[in-house]
Amino acid sequence: MTQPSYLRFPHLHGELITFTAEDDVWAASLDGGRAWRVSSDNMPVNHPRISPDGEHIAWTSTRDGAPEVHVAAVDGGPSQRLTHWGTRTSVRGWTSDGKVLALSTTGQMSLRRTWARAVPLDGGP
């Protein structure tokens, strides 16, 4: 019997890769060496994406219940929760001007309808 892949949701940017494992976000250099843990919440996470400048990683986390957008510096440090929508939310990438691109059902009449939103790193609207 085969098991699902341990490393999930990989995303490449230059010489860096991010992925999820052990319910956390990880990053590693494509040159080799050890991977490092970017998040340490031990809660389901998915779709980590590296910013265009390579400085941040954004991902979807269920740390506080509903899936929300979180971000942290690639080199480490505390993560920051950027959204408080309380509904289906999923990080999909970054805009060219450095905002996190997220899909969400917030403000919709049906959970089948999603809108893409650009979320600034300062957590503003």
Side-chain angles (χ1 to χ4, degrees), residues 36-112:
W36 62 92
R37 198 181 297 255
V38 177
S39 71
S40 59
D41 298 327
N42 198 28
M43 294 298 293
V45 294
N46 59 54
H47 296 95
R49 296 293 182 259
I50 303 168
S51 63
D53 63 8
E55 298 292 319
H56 295 90
I57 298 176
W59 65 91
T60 308
S61 174
T62 59
R63 178 180 75 188
D64 300 316
E68 299 288 356
V69 176
H70 289 251
V71 68
V74 168
D75 295 334
S79 67
Q80 177 183 359
R81 180 176 167 181
L82 297 184
T83 62
H84 299 269
W85 294 333
T87 188
R88 291 183 187 175
T89 300
S90 182
V91 169
R92 288 297 184 228
W94 292 79
T95 62
S96 60
D97 62 348
K99 295 178 182 169
V100 180
L101 182 61
L103 299 179
S104 179
T105 60
T106 189
Q108 300 304 306
M109 297 291 285
S110 167
L111 292 178
R112 292 181 283 178

Side-chain angles (χ1 to χ4, degrees), residues 11-23:
H11 181 247
L12 298 170
H13 181 312
E15 295 299 313
L16 188 66
I17 185 171
T18 185
F19 54 89
T20 65
E22 297 179 347
D23 287 332

